[in-house]
Amino acid sequence: MDNFELTAPLLEDLANAVMNLSPQHTLALLISSGTAISSALVARKKARSAYRWFVIGFFLNVVGLALALIAPNRHTHARCPTCHGIVPIKAPSCMFCHTRFIQPKSFLEKLKAKLAV
């Protein structure tokens, strides 16, 4: 039996179910889809998982979008390797467990060190 023969009745049933939605269900589906897409776009801009935030935005609607908006930017924050708290990248130590971080040297500092030798 061909895969198409197996999936065709399922797709037909799905299409019939979507066509028979009430106006309230259609509106709820449109709102959920809109907040899901908005959450995914915000998350992608903040260097986070767009797929994960799409699902969160779809099921939590406006709450999911609000969470995506207040989530810290991955470009400015990182997780502490010891306690896994979210701290600014430029912080000298973790504000939760006080682990000291080693700050990477900038390109100019490395160049000055090479030229001084």
Side-chain angles (χ1 to χ4, degrees), residues 48-75:
R48 296 193 165 268
S49 170
Y51 174 74
R52 183 177 298 159
W53 281 97
F54 179 88
V55 173
I56 291 170
F58 188 82
F59 289 110
L60 296 181
N61 294 324
V62 179
V63 175
L65 179 59
L67 290 173
L69 288 170
I70 64 171
N73 191 340
R74 287 270 171 111
H75 298 298

Side-chain angles (χ1 to χ4, degrees), residues 27-97:
L27 181 62
L29 185 62
L30 287 174
I31 290 172
S32 293
S33 299
T35 56
I37 291 169
S38 300
S39 298
L41 291 174
V42 168
R44 190 176 74 180
K45 199 173 218 180
K46 292 185 172 194
R48 296 193 165 268
S49 170
Y51 174 74
R52 183 177 298 159
W53 281 97
F54 179 88
V55 173
I56 291 170
F58 188 82
F59 289 110
L60 296 181
N61 294 324
V62 179
V63 175
L65 179 59
L67 290 173
L69 288 170
I70 64 171
N73 191 340
R74 287 270 171 111
H75 298 298
T76 59
H77 290 77
R79 289 206 175 266
C80 172
T82 306
C83 71
H84 302 289
I86 297 176
V87 294
I89 287 178
K90 297 191 184 239
S93 64
C94 177
M95 64 183 119
F96 303 108
C97 68

